[in-house]
Amino acid sequence: MFKVLIIGSGNIGYRHFEGLLKTDLSLKIYVMDPSVEALNLVQKCYKDSNPIEKTCYFFESLKDIPDQMDLCIIATSSKVRLEVAETLLKTTSVKYLILEKVLFQKESDYDQMSSLLKEYNVKGCWVNCPLRTFPIFRDLKEKIKTRLSYYIEYRNFGIGCNSIHQLDLFSFLTNCLDLKIETSKLENIVESKRKGYLEVLGILTACTNKEDTLIISSNIQSSPEYFMKLKFNEEIWTIFPLLEKITVEGTQNNEIIEKVINYPKQSSITSLLVTDLLLLGKCSLPDYETSKKLHVNLIKNLNSFFSKVLDHKVIECPIT
């Protein structure tokens, strides 16, 4: 049986747990969270689902986990993720790691994590920015032959915590890691729905040296309906993730085709990714070093914005 550990069983960790229960693999699943309430919820999920060939163990401290793991998913908040990763690697031999985003708050944390992965011989580490794994976007990538214009709008988007997903997808679609990120159209700072963190409203933009453009727009005037609009070749693709539908408009003939699409939920994504990882040793998520470059670029730019608005130097980006 493969041994898989989830650290942090809050909202996203809970979805990862559901995904593990859905796999056809024989698993020993270990869940660690200092919150008894959070652990109780995943225990109930385990009992209610009655999975086949899955044995689960629940812990409140890392010191109680076994000394070897095939895979660990770290789904904590950004503030403690590096500390948790270091404690884990000093405690347990880990073959593969999947880290939740936003990865870390400080620039220096990113190089430190790179060092930890080498020091403790982790065979592979990936970051959970899964849009690039979706069939709709993999198909779309094959179709793009011209400059890409990509626009996202949603009133409840959360530019701070969600932009890394769109930057990763934009990088994947354009084959470009060196993005120029612009924060001059960001408007103001608000309290995040997650206690102790902040969010930003306004417009964040990015572009490649080939003049592909990404625009993320989110404020109280933005559309209450989440949509992603991609213009390339002679087509406009408008994707409605929450409705799981897409419209494709030909700019030359004005023909519009509407299609239903599969926009996978996190539990389904986890199930597929973990199966590939444990059986084949590969994963279609961005690897750590790829995601590190995009993260550091975003963190630097957001820290400059926070420093300007808050009127003091910000070195720990307050997003998660």
Side-chain angles (χ1 to χ4, degrees), residues 19-285:
L20 293 180
L21 297 182
K22 288 180 181 180
T23 69
D24 294 327
L25 303 175
S26 297
L27 298 177
K28 286 185 177 181
I29 304 171
Y30 302 82
V31 183
M32 181 266 150
D33 197 298
S35 167
V36 175
E37 183 180 358
L39 289 178
N40 287 340
L41 288 175
V42 289
Q43 281 182 291
K44 184 179 186 303
C45 175
Y46 173 58
K47 291 175 183 175
D48 291 346
S49 62
N50 193 27
I52 299 171
E53 295 186 345
K54 309 289 188 298
T55 307
C56 294
Y57 307 89
F58 305 93
F59 304 97
E60 294 175 48
S61 171
L62 280 175
K63 64 179 175 53
D64 298 319
I65 63 174
D67 58 7
Q68 185 275 328
M69 286 290 161
D70 294 294
L71 169 65
C72 177
I73 301 172
I74 301 183
T76 65
S77 64
S78 60
K79 191 174 294 186
V80 299
R81 187 167 291 121
L82 180 68
E83 179 185 352
V84 167
E86 186 169 12
T87 301
L88 167 72
L89 294 175
K90 287 179 176 178
T91 305
T92 303
S93 173
V94 179
K95 189 174 183 181
Y96 301 124
L97 268 176
I98 294 177
L99 304 177
E100 267 305 327
K101 42 52 61 189
V102 173
L103 282 168
F104 316 112
Q105 294 184 326
K106 292 191 296 184
E107 281 186 58
S108 58
D109 289 351
Y110 291 85
D111 284 339
Q112 193 171 340
M113 186 69 205
S114 294
S115 298
L116 287 171
L117 294 173
K118 291 177 183 177
E119 181 181 353
Y120 292 98
N121 299 310
V122 178
K123 294 191 179 301
C125 179
W126 295 267
V127 178
N128 191 36
C129 290
L131 294 182
R132 62 167 63 207
T133 74
F134 290 14
I136 180 65
F137 296 121
R138 297 186 83 82
D139 290 345
L140 195 151
K141 180 182 173 71
E142 297 301 313
K143 296 178 183 294
I144 297 174
K145 305 300 179 186
T146 61
R147 189 169 62 195
L148 173 66
S149 174
Y150 179 17
Y151 177 78
I152 302 118
E153 182 173 335
Y154 184 35
R155 185 181 301 168
N156 301 315
F157 185 75
I159 289 176
C161 66
N162 289 315
S163 288
I164 192 64
H165 283 298
Q166 304 302 331
L167 290 166
D168 180 75
L169 179 60
F170 184 57
S171 173
F172 171 72
L173 294 175
T174 59
N175 296 310
C176 181
L177 257 181
D178 296 312
L179 305 180
K180 182 181 179 182
I181 297 175
E182 178 61 60
T183 60
S184 63
K185 294 183 180 178
L186 290 178
E187 297 166 4
N188 57 315
I189 297 170
V190 294
E191 292 290 330
S192 170
K193 62 183 179 181
R194 295 176 177 87
K195 188 177 180 181
Y197 295 93
L198 298 176
E199 260 302 343
V200 291
L201 299 178
I203 297 174
L204 183 80
T205 65
C207 64
T208 69
N209 56 12
K210 297 178 293 182
E211 298 185 338
D212 305 288
T213 58
L214 168 67
I215 300 173
I216 303 171
S217 179
S218 182
N219 55 32
I220 57 175
Q221 286 84 36
S222 296
S223 169
E225 189 169 54
Y226 179 25
F227 68 89
M228 310 156 78
K229 191 180 292 287
L230 299 99
K231 299 179 182 180
F232 59 94
N233 303 351
E234 293 179 349
E235 294 181 336
I236 300 173
W237 288 40
T238 306
I239 300 170
F240 300 90
L242 303 181
L243 302 176
E244 293 193 293
K245 73 174 185 179
I246 178 174
T247 61
V248 180
E249 177 184 354
T251 58
Q252 297 299 308
N253 58 16
N254 294 322
E255 180 184 4
I256 299 177
I257 300 170
E258 186 172 307
K259 302 176 184 178
V260 174
I261 60 169
N262 174 31
Y263 206 85
K265 302 294 188 291
Q266 183 62 61
S267 58
S268 298
I269 297 166
T270 300
S271 183
L272 293 172
L273 292 173
V274 167
T275 299
D276 278 353
L277 196 49
L278 294 177
L279 292 183
L280 306 175
K282 63 181 183 179
C283 183
S284 50
L285 292 173

